[in-house]
Amino acid sequence: MGLRRTQPHHCATHDHVVRASLRQMYYVAGGIAAAGLLVLFLLPLAGVILVLGSAGAAGLIRYGDRRRDRAALLARPALPVVPSIDSVEVREVLRGELVLDVDGTYRTSVTPVDGHIKVETTFGRPDQDRLREYCKKFRLSSREDVPFSAGFLVLRGPAGLEFTDRVGGGLVVPLAGLVGTQPFLASQDGPVSAKWQVRLGHRVTGVPGRSEIPLWLTPALMPESDQRILQLDLQWLGNWPSAESGLDADRVERLTLYVPAAWGNVEHVDGATVGSRVDPDSGRRLIEWKQISLDQKKRRHTFAVHFEEQIRLSDVIKGALVVSFRGALSGLEGVDLFEPLGGRRRGGQYTDVKTEVTADVELSLNGVRYQDIRVVPDPRKDDPLQIPEAHEFPGVIPDHDTLIALTDAMSTDGYYVKRVIENPPRDRGRADLVNRAWDVAGRRYFGVYPVDFHLVLTGEEAYGSDIRAEAGNTKVRLYVKGAFASKEMEDEIESVWYGLQGIISETLQQRKPGRSHDEHHVGARHRASDVRIQELKRRRERFEDALLNRRISEDVCREILAHIDRDIAELDEGYGGNRNWEG
């Protein structure tokens, strides 16, 4: 039946029920009968005995051969078929939920882990020919439902699982069926091949790590996006289900999100498809990623979507996530396939083994804090007349004394100067004119939140007969930058610019020609205090507004206002209490 090259394998206690055929004994009986006919003419009695004996022997031979045929029919093996192997797949699935509550609590839940082993094969013409030879050999009717065997499947590895689609356990799984379920085998005409699939379901047992989902999907709003870019950080455990048998993340098979239509159209997203229509029932738009490869070393992957409108922090994102890990949660390493006669199939081992973690996703944005970057001046937001990019101070010499006076005034008012860099002076081709440039960088803290500042002081010095400059002009460019997560924090950043600008203006105005050094120092100090008091008064007004709008509790507001009033009183005492509080 086309299996001459296949070596059969026997178990140690095999039993050959079917004996050899007796048909060759007919020739012996025929020879005895022919001899009896010859002897009949010489010795009639002996000839009759030989003829009758050969006839009786022929009857016994026929009876024995019929019994042998009946035994062969009863003990015949299943039809051996050898379909080609298309694929062998082992999948185990951990299902659960990923929920981020309104209060910012992350919850997960899981269900029992199940899985399957799936073998995809293709029958061909040789299997049809084998069925015809099989029916001819065992004298079977073409209408008889013949059982067939496509070999055996053997599990590999220390797997903790139990089958749900078959009775009994064991590592050896027969790949068998009936010809009646495969019309292609008995068909004389039609296609040249047909698919056949074997699927065995199982449940994972006794494996650690089955009680938790090894994934986190955390929403955030990307800084400097005007609250229009949603960022989702996918993270996973590095040693799951255990340090000894950790599975590596392979890829995101599918991430499906349903986002509110109020966020507008999707302006940009990488590697995803976006639904062209909004679901009228749910009022949501579909965004879906598929087949996204993951880097196991990083253990993090970020998805980002840019929307047309601002993202509302009162909304909820819903969807589903499927992530595959290389290897099986049960410990199953793969399967081996064997032919119907017992030998290992050619083609090597089959190791397409994965665990899929599937989770329904529900993420509330209520606990997400939007953080953006405020730069002052910003041409998109700021009026250049109120917040100009540069200030000029005619008559002020940009020398070391000016720079020292300026940094001293900033330090006195609580601005931390981190760096001062003097750029090499340039003469512009004239001996009496020198260009100067200074870079000053520093920081101001509001609690633990820093606001950075950077000012560039440039200008030219005019020299006469003295080694010191006699005249000059100065220009100052001031930039302030900080991160904010609320309107109050953004106002704090702006107040740093106003405060520094006041210090710069007062200090450099005091250094114009005709002002003494003491006047310079006292005036700068007084101006710095004035700016600081005005800044504190603006802060006080903002927190009072926040209390009226119920954005802050009364107890917290009272504590903050007391602290501000104490700072104002300390600055006022520096003037002997003779301050005009109305500014």
Side-chain angles (χ1 to χ4, degrees):
M1 289 185 285
L3 299 174
R4 292 185 180 88
R5 296 183 179 180
T6 303
Q7 177 65 35
H9 288 247
H10 293 273
C11 62
T13 58
H14 66 278
D15 182 15
H16 286 281
V17 177
V18 180
R19 309 301 177 188
S21 176
L22 300 176
R23 292 178 184 177
Q24 65 272 19
M25 299 300 295
Y26 282 117
Y27 298 106
V28 177
I32 295 174
L37 291 176
L38 294 176
V39 174
L40 183 63
F41 295 100
L42 300 176
L43 299 171
L45 181 59
V48 170
I49 293 173
L50 289 174
V51 171
L52 293 176
S54 63
L60 292 174
I61 292 170
R62 178 174 176 78
Y63 175 74
D65 210 31
R66 290 178 66 86
R67 288 191 60 187
R68 182 260 178 197
D69 289 343
R70 286 195 296 271
L73 290 174
L74 293 175
R76 72 180 188 271
L79 167 67
V81 293
V82 190
S84 61
I85 304 298
D86 298 330
S87 65
V88 180
E89 174 185 279
V90 177
R91 291 290 183 271
E92 293 177 352
V93 182
L94 174 68
R95 294 182 174 86
E97 292 182 334
L98 293 175
V99 179
L100 182 60
D101 290 336
V102 176
D103 59 359
T105 303
Y106 212 91
R107 296 187 291 107
T108 64
S109 61
V110 296
T111 60
V113 183
D114 56 14
H116 67 262
I117 301 172
K118 185 169 65 177
V119 182
E120 298 274 0
T121 68
T122 300
F123 288 116
R125 292 295 188 191
D127 297 306
Q128 290 181 326
D129 298 338
R130 198 168 290 116
L131 173 60
R132 288 193 293 270
E133 292 296 329
Y134 183 88
C135 292
K136 179 180 177 181
K137 176 180 179 66
F138 294 104
R139 298 190 291 277
L140 301 176
S141 169
S142 59
R143 295 189 298 273
E144 188 166 346
D145 200 3
V146 176
F148 67 84
S149 171
F152 305 90
L153 179 150
V154 180
L155 306 185
R156 187 172 69 251
L161 59 84
E162 59 182 19
F163 286 106
T164 57
D165 293 345
R166 61 189 291 259
V167 178
L171 300 177
V172 179
V173 180
L175 303 178
L178 295 173
V179 170
T181 63
Q182 300 295 323
F184 168 79
L185 292 176
S187 175
Q188 299 296 324
D189 301 317
V192 296
S193 63
K195 299 292 184 180
W196 180 50
Q197 181 188 103
V198 178
R199 190 181 189 280
L200 298 169
H202 66 266
R203 180 172 291 111
V204 177
T205 60
V207 177
R210 295 182 295 115
S211 60
E212 60 180 349
I213 289 185
L215 302 173
W216 292 268
L217 190 63
T218 307
L221 297 179
M222 187 175 291
E224 302 183 73
S225 67
D226 196 23
Q227 204 165 316
R228 284 177 167 83
I229 298 181
L230 175 67
Q231 184 171 294
L232 293 171
D233 286 331
L234 174 65
Q235 297 174 273
W236 58 92
L237 290 175
N239 296 317
W240 180 77
S242 65
E244 294 77 17
S245 58
L247 305 182
D248 291 339
D250 183 33
R251 62 188 178 187
V252 176
E253 302 291 345
R254 185 177 69 257
L255 172 58
T256 304
L257 296 181
Y258 295 93
V259 299
W263 297 358
N265 295 324
V266 175
E267 294 195 340
H268 180 74
V269 61
D270 289 330
T273 57
V274 180
S276 58
R277 296 182 179 180
V278 175
D279 187 343
D281 296 330
S282 63
R284 293 176 177 270
R285 187 186 305 277
L286 170 66
I287 305 174
E288 188 172 49
W289 290 264
K290 289 184 177 180
Q291 307 297 317
I292 305 298
S293 299
L294 298 177
D295 188 340
Q296 175 64 22
K297 295 181 180 179
K298 293 182 178 179
R299 285 190 286 174
R300 176 190 292 267
H301 189 86
T302 300
F303 302 89
V305 189
H306 190 174
F307 293 94
E308 179 184 13
E309 304 296 337
Q310 284 192 339
I311 298 170
R312 299 181 305 188
L313 300 185
S314 58
D315 287 331
V316 175
I317 303 170
K318 296 184 178 181
L321 173 66
V322 180
V323 177
S324 62
F325 289 77
R326 287 185 286 269
L329 188 60
S330 65
L332 183 62
E333 297 174 0
V335 297
D336 294 326
L337 295 180
F338 292 81
E339 294 183 343
L341 302 186
R344 185 186 295 271
R345 286 195 66 125
R346 296 179 178 87
Q349 299 177 340
Y350 300 89
T351 55
D352 183 15
V353 182
K354 290 185 180 180
T355 296
E356 291 184 351
V357 178
T358 302
D360 294 327
V361 176
E362 183 174 326
L363 305 175
S364 171
L365 301 183
N366 186 67
V368 175
R369 296 189 65 188
Y370 172 64
Q371 181 171 295
D372 208 340
I373 303 297
R374 176 71 163 105
V375 179
V376 185
D378 186 345
R380 298 173 302 174
K381 295 183 177 181
D382 302 323
D383 185 352
L385 297 179
Q386 296 183 358
I387 306 181
E389 185 177 354
H391 283 79
E392 295 187 6
F393 301 91
V396 177
I397 301 173
D399 57 6
H400 293 82
D401 292 335
T402 299
L403 187 70
I404 292 172
L406 183 58
T407 55
D408 284 347
M410 289 190 293
S411 299
T412 300
D413 202 40
Y415 293 89
Y416 169 54
V417 178
K418 297 192 301 181
R419 182 184 73 244
V420 177
I421 299 177
E422 178 184 7
N423 294 295
R426 289 183 286 185
D427 58 15
R428 297 181 61 183
R430 291 179 54 182
D432 59 336
L433 289 180
V434 176
N435 280 354
R436 304 299 298 268
W438 308 82
D439 279 324
V440 181
R443 177 171 288 182
R444 176 70 181 270
Y445 284 93
F446 292 97
V448 297
Y449 297 104
V451 177
D452 294 319
F453 64 85
H454 176 215
L455 65 89
V456 180
L457 188 150
T458 60
E460 59 182 16
E461 298 175 339
Y463 290 85
S465 59
D466 197 357
I467 61 172
R468 296 178 62 88
E470 297 179 350
N473 294 293
T474 298
K475 178 186 289 188
V476 178
R477 297 179 182 273
L478 173 63
Y479 305 94
V480 172
K481 181 178 181 181
F484 68 93
S486 64
K487 178 59 177 174
E488 289 76 12
M489 294 176 66
E490 185 178 12
D491 291 342
E492 298 282 10
I493 298 169
E494 294 178 4
S495 71
V496 171
W497 190 92
Y498 283 110
L500 282 171
Q501 186 58 43
I503 294 173
I504 293 169
S505 296
E506 180 64 25
T507 303
L508 297 191
Q509 290 292 346
Q510 294 292 332
R511 295 197 61 80
K512 285 188 176 181
R515 303 292 295 271
S516 67
H517 177 74
D518 291 339
E519 288 175 329
H520 292 170
H521 179 73
V522 173
R525 181 166 55 85
H526 288 184
R527 178 57 183 167
S529 297
D530 281 339
V531 172
R532 178 59 177 159
I533 288 175
Q534 294 301 323
E535 178 187 333
L536 290 171
K537 290 168 70 176
R538 285 194 297 269
R539 290 188 64 191
R540 198 180 199 284
E541 292 174 358
R542 286 196 300 272
F543 281 108
E544 289 174 346
D545 291 340
L547 176 62
L548 293 176
N549 295 326
R550 297 183 179 181
R551 298 197 306 269
I552 188 173
S553 69
E554 184 176 354
D555 292 339
V556 173
C557 184
R558 187 183 299 112
E559 182 179 350
I560 293 174
L561 294 181
H563 181 74
I564 293 175
D565 291 342
R566 186 166 56 251
D567 289 347
I568 293 176
E570 290 177 357
L571 290 171
D572 183 59
E573 289 177 1
Y575 287 91
N578 297 319
R579 295 279 298 173
N580 180 1
W581 275 68
E582 296 301 320

